[in-house]
Structures are given as structure tokens and as C-alpha cells.
Amino acid sequence: MIAYLDNAATTKVSESVRDIMVDALYVNFGNPSSMHRKGMEAERYIKDAKESIARLLKVEPKEIVFTSGGTESNNMALIGTALAYQRSGKHIITTQFEHPSVHNPLIALEDFGFRISYVPVDKNGKVIEEALLNEICDDTTLVSIMYVNNEVGAIQDIARLSKLVKEKKPDVLFHTDAIQSFGKLKIFPKKEGIDLMSVSGHKFHGPKGAGFLYIKDKVKVKPIIHGGGQQKGYRSGTENVPAIAGLYQAISEIYENHDEKINHLYNLKTHMIEGLQQIPEVVVNAVFKEQEDISLSERVHLTAPHVVSASFPGIRSEVLLHALEDREIYVSSGSACASNHPSLSGSLMAIGVEKSLLDSTLRFSFSVNTKMDEIDYTLEVLNEIVPMLRRYTRK
């Protein structure tokens, strides 16, 4: 049996996504900037995609800019906005809990004289609001907070955080990395006070190399890619029409019967955690363990539906990962978006995971295609190999 439980890293495209991409590659293959019929056929994919995303988010099509994925969207949002507003201030606030595609562009901005503040989170991964508000000053222009953490599944109350920030300083722009939340949560940027939002298609059964950045009307973003002026100058370069077509198809599908899909994910997650808790010494991270007055299922629903982080004391994560791989179970030891070389997780350190467990943690992540049989099989194998690996390691 194969159990693919690394869906936070990437998901398999659906057959309809594959088919529309082939159509855009082979039939309607024109350059969308060309004025003839072939160009217009290609441009139709882009127009349809923008209109579809705009309807879903309750925004305007002109507020959607297509990118190569989450990393580019985050870079455009952070660097482009920072440069556009630098005369108003050069202070940016983020958290200690962000993906490298947010963290590293901000480090790069420090070389241009920007000051970055990193707000802590609690043991469940929730931003400490008082610390956030204390960082806001006259020089602050931008706040960037991840909607759903990619390693432990913590959800931020973005609407509340944005409201608090803007009450203290109304002209501060609010960016969220929604790469792990889009497709799992229903998001409405204008209602939630979001000025910029990053999305990546391959997290919800779209193609790799396709994403978008929502930019609220009137928000200024300085282009970081210059050329032919496509997408109103925000992002020059011939659009990747097949990828955009696949992204459009994936978006049109992921929110169909959405409640049913999310309930399925939460059932998988609850069952996975229940099984992990039966294995001696295993620690499940960021699941509101202190709230003993509510059931596990209720606690699980306080987190994202598709991610489980668990630490296995005494076993290196890389060793356990490959032992599972030998049984055709595929998981992650952290953010696959960062590198295929293991390193200590900033997210785990931010929530206070013991140092001895940082290199003993795996991430299990699910999609709408994941079957309960895959969870049962994974738990069966873990129950077999974890005690064996622990005995071997502790000899």
C-alpha cells in the first residue's frame, strides 16, 4: 500500500487540471500578448482565471496578479511594498513563525536599511497580540503574518490581528502568506482587512509554478521583475498560460462541496492524532493540550485540517522518514519548500518544542484524496518500527 502524507509539500493535480493544461500547451498555445485569434484564445484562460478568483474572494479581477507561486508572491508583496512605501517608513513587523519565503526576503531588506521586528507566538503557535501591538511605531509600514503555519498547522485569527494593527496605526499595510490556508479555509480579504495575500496552486491540486498575489486596489507595489509590462506592469514576462489554466481549474474545484472535504480532513487528522497518542513517548505539537475541558476533536478544529506535527523522542526524523519510505509511506521532516537538506525548524523552536525533539519531528499532511486506510496503515507501521528504532538508537 502507498500512503502519501506529504500534501503540505505538494499535492497531485486532478485529471481535469492535467487536461486543461495540455489543452493550453497544445491547442490554445498562442502568446496572450498577441493580437490575433491564437493570442486571444490564450488570453481567455487568464481572464477567466482572474474573474473566477475574484468572485471567490469577493474582490476585483484587477487586484489579482499571477506569479510563479508562493515564493514569488511573498517576495513581491514584501520587497515591492517595502520599496514603494520606504519614504513613509522602513519598519516591518513579522513573526518568529514564518516560512523562509517570508523570512529571507525580510533579511534581504535589512541590507537596504529596513528594520525588521519578529513577534513571538505561544506554544500553540498563536501570535501574542500584546507583543505585536507593542512593536508598532511611527515608522511601521507593513505587517506580515502567516495565515496557517506550514509545519504545525496553527491558524491565526487574521481578521482580528489586522483590525488590532489598523486600530493602532490605520495606514499600516497587512500582508498574509495564505499558501497553506487557501483551499482549506474560506478567506475574504476585504472583510478581513488583508491588503496583500499570497497563494500557491500546488498546495490544492493545481500545478507547481503557478500562484497569485492579491493586491488591494490603491496599494502600491514596486515591480521586482521588469520587462514588457504585462499584468499592468506588476509582473513583466509572458504569462505561463498552461500553469494559470491549471490554477484556475484547481480553484474552481477545491471549493466545491467544501464543508464535506474539510470534515473529511478533520476526521483524518483526529484519527491520526488518536493513533499517535497511543505510541509511547510520542508528542503531538500545537494541539491546545492545556484545554482539557474540550474533546480532542474540538481541539483539532482549532487548527488547520490537514497538518499533524509529531515528535518521536530518541529517533532522528531523517531516520524515521526513510524507514517509513521503505514501506511506501511518504512524510516530511519539515518544510520541503525550504530545502531537501534537514535543518532545525524555526517554527518548532518558536512554539517552544524541546531542543532534544527538534531533530525528531515529522509532519504528516493530508489532502481531499487521502483515504482513512492510509492513516491506518501509517499508524500500524509506526507502531511496529518506532519501538524498534528507539531500541536501536539507545543501545
Side-chain angles (χ1 to χ4, degrees):
M1 182 177 186
I2 296 175
Y4 179 76
L5 303 181
D6 197 18
N7 290 277
T10 198
T11 53
K12 181 180 179 180
V13 301
S14 66
E15 292 184 4
S16 56
V17 168
R18 177 200 63 194
D19 291 346
I20 198 171
M21 291 183 70
V22 170
D23 191 61
L25 279 165
Y26 192 70
V27 180
N28 300 319
F29 57 83
N31 188 316
S33 296
S34 297
M35 298 180 68
H36 49 64
R37 185 187 307 153
K38 278 295 181 187
M40 293 173 67
E41 289 170 349
E43 187 183 24
R44 170 53 59 181
Y45 290 115
I46 299 172
K47 185 177 180 181
D48 287 349
K50 284 197 175 190
E51 291 177 350
S52 176
I53 294 168
R55 281 194 302 272
L56 182 65
L57 299 179
K58 300 187 186 304
V59 302
E60 298 297 322
K62 66 181 179 180
E63 296 175 307
I64 303 300
V65 177
F66 292 112
T67 68
S68 63
T71 294
E72 185 187 341
S73 293
N74 282 337
N75 274 259
M76 181 187 295
L78 298 170
I79 297 174
T81 305
L83 296 178
Y85 288 90
Q86 60 183 318
R87 290 185 179 178
S88 300
K90 302 186 80 170
H91 178 231
I92 299 171
I93 302 172
T94 189
T95 78
Q96 298 173 356
F97 208 42
E98 302 297 312
H99 189 275
S101 64
V102 166
H103 184 72
N104 289 333
L106 293 177
I107 290 176
L109 282 169
E110 290 181 323
D111 293 335
F112 294 90
F114 288 85
R115 182 170 65 89
I116 315 300
S117 295
Y118 299 91
V119 175
V121 297
D122 65 21
K123 59 187 175 183
N124 295 308
K126 304 289 281 187
V127 169
I128 298 175
E129 294 177 359
E130 183 179 2
L132 169 63
L133 296 178
N134 286 341
E135 291 291 347
I136 298 173
C137 61
D138 291 341
D139 201 36
T140 307
T141 57
L142 178 65
V143 171
S144 179
I145 298 176
M146 177 185 276
Y147 212 123
V148 167
N149 181 267
N150 56 299
E151 291 193 52
V152 300
I155 302 176
Q156 304 299 339
D157 187 344
I158 292 297
R160 175 175 170 80
L161 294 176
S162 175
K163 182 174 182 289
L164 291 172
V165 166
K166 291 175 183 289
E167 282 177 348
K168 184 159 185 181
K169 193 170 189 287
D171 60 346
V172 172
L173 297 175
F174 196 98
H175 165 255
T176 188
D177 171 349
I179 291 162
Q180 289 293 344
S181 56
F182 190 89
K184 285 80 178 179
L185 307 177
K186 294 178 181 177
I187 306 171
F188 303 104
K190 293 186 186 296
K191 183 178 179 181
E192 297 177 52
I194 298 168
D195 299 296
L196 303 112
M197 184 175 78
S198 305
V199 173
S200 183
H202 73 107
K203 306 299 186 180
F204 50 89
H205 307 284
K208 300 172 187 67
F212 69 85
L213 176 65
Y214 160 73
I215 306 173
K216 185 179 178 181
D217 191 31
K218 309 299 184 187
V219 170
K220 294 183 290 185
V221 175
K222 198 172 183 65
I224 59 175
I225 297 177
H226 300 272
Q230 288 88 346
Q231 301 200 71
K232 297 185 177 179
Y234 278 120
R235 203 263 191 184
S236 291
T238 300
E239 295 92 339
N240 186 347
V241 178
I244 292 171
L247 176 68
Y248 158 65
Q249 184 65 28
I251 289 172
S252 69
E253 293 174 358
I254 195 62
Y255 282 100
E256 291 179 353
N257 303 315
H258 188 252
D259 290 344
E260 181 181 333
K261 291 174 180 174
I262 298 308
N263 285 336
H264 171 64
L265 290 175
Y266 274 124
N267 288 337
L268 294 173
K269 180 169 182 172
T270 301
H271 188 57
M272 184 80 197
I273 293 174
E274 288 173 338
L276 288 169
Q277 290 177 334
Q278 299 304 310
I279 304 174
E281 299 183 51
V282 171
V283 178
V284 180
N285 300 308
V287 287
F288 295 85
K289 283 178 269 190
E290 71 282 0
Q291 296 193 16
E292 297 178 355
D293 56 325
I294 61 176
S295 68
L296 173 61
S297 177
E298 289 173 307
R299 282 186 274 132
V300 165
H301 277 74
L302 297 173
T303 65
H306 65 301
V307 176
V308 173
S309 172
S311 301
F312 298 80
I315 307 173
R316 287 186 59 221
S317 54
E318 188 176 3
V319 172
L320 183 53
L321 183 151
H322 289 303
L324 290 171
E325 179 188 14
D326 288 342
R327 303 292 189 92
E328 295 196 279
I329 299 169
Y330 301 97
V331 300
S332 172
S333 59
S335 172
C337 304
S339 173
N340 59 0
H341 301 290
S343 60
L344 294 181
S345 163
S347 291
L348 296 178
M349 288 189 282
I351 63 172
V353 171
E354 294 179 19
K355 286 185 179 181
S356 61
L357 299 180
L358 292 175
D359 193 31
S360 300
T361 301
L362 293 183
R363 179 186 67 184
F364 305 86
S365 51
F366 323 121
S367 82
V368 295
N369 296 329
T370 306
K371 303 292 191 295
M372 192 64 80
D373 287 350
E374 295 177 69
I375 306 299
D376 287 333
Y377 174 58
T378 301
L379 291 170
E380 178 186 333
V381 172
L382 284 170
N383 272 287
E384 176 188 343
I385 67 174
V386 165
M388 179 182 65
L389 289 173
R390 193 171 283 141
R391 285 195 300 270
Y392 177 79
T393 303
R394 290 175 176 173
K395 280 184 178 179

